[in-house]
Amino acid sequence: METLSRYVGWTFDYILQMLPCCVLTAAVFLALLPVRKRRLARLGLVSRPRREALLFLFVLFCGGLMALTLFPAGFWSALMAGHLPPEGWFACRGSGMYLRITLLSELTEGGAWTWFMLLGNAGMFVPLGFFPALLWRRARWWKSVLAAGGTSLFVELWQRFIDRSSDINDLILNTLGGLLGFGLYVLLSRLLPDWTGTCQVEEQYGRETGDSGPASGA
């Protein structure tokens, strides 16, 4: 019970750190909404409210992921507490690069914090495998792996330029998280095919024939 309480507390702290960038990406999403709608209309496509809501959640997640990975550790916690970032946080150097795979030893010997970080590194990249497969056409497992792995590789390289470390174990876990996200999409599409089928853009009726909908020829 104590371990679970720790996990909840740590998770809540990370969610708080995600909020500033979530607000920023939400504002950008809403500002660009009319532009996207017009572009889809020109292509003869429509994005239904369900897809828009899921796309909005994905954009919020991307903003939160940016906050947690592209800034120095604890940056947003310090800023929200009224403390300016200490000198050296954005120095063009990382605190280390770890190229040895240690996942097995960490799984067998790690404590609560180690397990939290392992699960978190995999779990926070699940949406990068799940949402693109759900929201865009022609879902493929390798696309989810590429989205998660490519993003993770960029993050690990970027962290060489801030006061954070780069770790191949994070890259592996992040990529596995993307693959797990695609597996979640496959499971959902088999259990609820009608629901997942309405999460992608649809062709507007009448673009070529002038029909107003499926019942117009009745």
Side-chain angles (χ1 to χ4, degrees):
M1 190 65 181
E2 181 181 352
T3 300
L4 179 60
S5 178
R6 288 180 182 179
Y7 282 0
V8 171
W10 292 332
T11 302
F12 183 70
D13 179 65
Y14 277 110
I15 291 175
L16 285 179
Q17 293 186 59
M18 294 169 71
L19 289 179
C21 286
C22 285
V23 172
L24 176 62
T25 52
V28 173
F29 177 88
L30 294 175
L32 294 179
L33 186 59
V35 178
R36 288 197 310 107
K37 292 289 188 182
R38 288 195 296 268
R39 180 176 179 275
L40 288 173
R42 287 197 301 269
L43 296 173
L45 301 172
V46 60
S47 181
R48 303 296 180 188
R50 176 180 295 170
R51 182 181 185 273
E52 287 298 303
L54 291 170
L55 183 60
F56 182 67
L57 288 178
F58 183 49
V59 168
L60 290 183
F61 161 77
C62 290
L65 183 65
M66 179 175 66
L68 294 180
T69 59
L70 301 185
F71 294 84
F75 175 84
W76 294 107
S77 293
L79 206 60
M80 288 187 289
H83 304 298
L84 294 177
E87 185 179 353
W89 269 19
F90 281 101
C92 292
R93 56 176 176 78
S95 59
M97 177 176 284
Y98 302 96
L99 300 178
R100 188 165 66 92
I101 299 176
T102 58
L103 290 176
L104 183 60
S105 61
E106 291 180 23
L107 285 170
T108 56
E109 302 171 9
W113 174 251
T114 300
W115 270 89
F116 177 79
M117 292 305 295
L118 292 175
L119 293 173
N121 272 307
M124 72 178 180
F125 274 71
V126 167
L128 283 179
F130 174 75
F131 279 106
L134 179 68
L135 297 174
W136 286 279
R137 298 176 178 180
R138 294 182 290 277
R140 297 292 187 273
W141 68 269
W142 58 267
K143 292 182 180 179
S144 292
V145 168
L146 186 62
T151 301
S152 178
L153 180 61
F154 171 78
V155 166
E156 295 303 318
L157 292 176
W158 170 258
Q159 290 179 348
R160 293 295 301 151
F161 297 95
I162 57 178
D163 193 21
R164 297 183 67 166
S165 62
S166 303
D167 194 333
I168 192 172
N169 297 282
D170 292 347
L171 176 60
I172 294 172
L173 288 170
N174 297 161
T175 305
L176 288 176
L179 185 59
L180 180 61
F182 181 79
L184 182 61
Y185 158 75
V186 171
L187 178 62
L188 189 64
S189 64
R190 291 180 178 177
L191 294 176
L192 300 171
D194 293 336
W195 189 88
T196 55
T198 61
C199 295
Q200 299 180 351
V201 291
E202 303 172 14
E203 293 185 3
Q204 288 181 338
Y205 294 114
R207 178 171 171 81
E208 297 180 354
T209 64
D211 295 338
S212 60
S216 60

